[in-house]
Amino acid sequence: NQVAEKVSEDIEKIIIQGDTGIALYTYSLYDGLIKQFKADSDVIDVTACTASITSANVITELNRVLEAVPAEIRSKPKFRIICSQEIAFAYKQFQASTTGGLFMVGDKELNYLGMKIVPTSALNAKEMFAADMEKIFFLTDLVSDFEDIIIIPQRKISGARTERLATSLKLGVNYLYGEYVVLYA
């Protein structure tokens, strides 16, 4: 479970923040969505506010993003707002302060005006994007890659009571229609 969790976390980081132009492992494996969005002149850019996003301004910033999204995209069933954990937290604080504490117990699925908000640790504090997720693609060749996963017990090799996991996975991410993506950064 720990290995699966760590691999999943790393893949999420690569998908969103990957950048072959940097020397930081994991991120440098391929270009992720944010780099691709920034390079695409068709993607609708919304400049992030200069102040921190707090419960006092989070609705204003969400509205700025949603107003930039073409109407036909906002109505798609797989439309999502993908945001940083900081933006999600500010939104939860806003909800708690305006609903008399209704949202203060337990973790609830986030949505704004009926549109799902998905928080991720892979985005920076003041980053989010909105898109029809059916037009964003994650591709992999797990059929052959799964056979290449090797667990190597270290007890007889180094004396350590650990195991090493070795694998190599092929994956990529891309999207269609930059004019249907809004990037807040």
Side-chain angles (χ1 to χ4, degrees):
N1 287 343
Q2 288 177 323
V3 171
E5 204 173 287
K6 179 62 176 151
V7 169
S8 177
E9 199 176 283
D10 285 349
I11 289 173
E12 185 175 346
K13 289 176 185 177
I14 299 166
I15 288 171
I16 294 176
Q17 293 288 355
D19 186 344
T20 56
I22 63 174
L24 185 59
Y25 177 71
T26 306
Y27 291 107
S28 65
L29 296 174
Y30 70 85
D31 291 335
L33 290 172
I34 297 299
K35 184 173 180 181
Q36 292 179 43
F37 292 159
K38 287 180 178 180
D40 187 344
S41 63
D42 289 337
V43 169
I44 301 163
D45 294 314
V46 174
T47 304
C49 67
T50 55
S52 296
I53 296 182
T54 65
S55 61
N57 66 1
V58 69
I59 297 301
T60 301
E61 299 310 304
L62 284 169
N63 281 331
R64 289 181 60 220
V65 169
L66 288 173
E67 288 167 359
V69 175
E72 68 268 19
I73 301 305
R74 282 193 308 261
S75 65
K76 296 288 185 186
K78 296 288 185 172
F79 175 78
R80 301 288 185 273
I81 301 166
I82 312 298
C83 70
S84 68
Q85 292 290 352
E86 292 83 356
I87 293 171
F89 182 69
Y91 182 60
K92 286 179 180 184
Q93 286 180 313
F94 170 80
Q95 285 181 321
S97 69
T98 58
T99 61
L102 181 64
F103 292 96
M104 294 179 80
V105 177
D107 198 15
K108 310 283 188 242
E109 181 180 277
L110 297 178
N111 76 74
Y112 178 62
L113 302 174
M115 293 168 240
K116 290 184 180 178
I117 298 174
V118 181
T120 176
S121 297
L123 285 171
N124 296 323
K126 293 194 302 184
E127 284 184 330
M128 65 178 130
F129 65 91
D132 177 4
M133 298 311 286
E134 284 192 343
K135 305 295 186 238
I136 296 179
F137 303 99
F138 173 72
L139 306 166
T140 185
D141 183 16
L142 287 179
V143 173
S144 65
D145 290 340
F146 188 74
E147 295 171 3
D148 293 335
I149 297 174
I150 303 167
I151 299 174
I152 308 165
Q154 296 297 297
R155 181 78 173 143
K156 293 182 181 177
I157 297 170
S158 66
R161 293 182 181 197
T162 61
E163 288 81 29
R164 293 212 176 164
L165 179 88
T167 187
S168 62
L169 304 170
K170 296 177 217 86
L171 55 97
V173 65
N174 213 320
Y175 63 96
L176 294 173
Y177 315 119
E179 63 270 17
Y180 293 163
V181 174
V182 173
L183 175 62
Y184 178 94

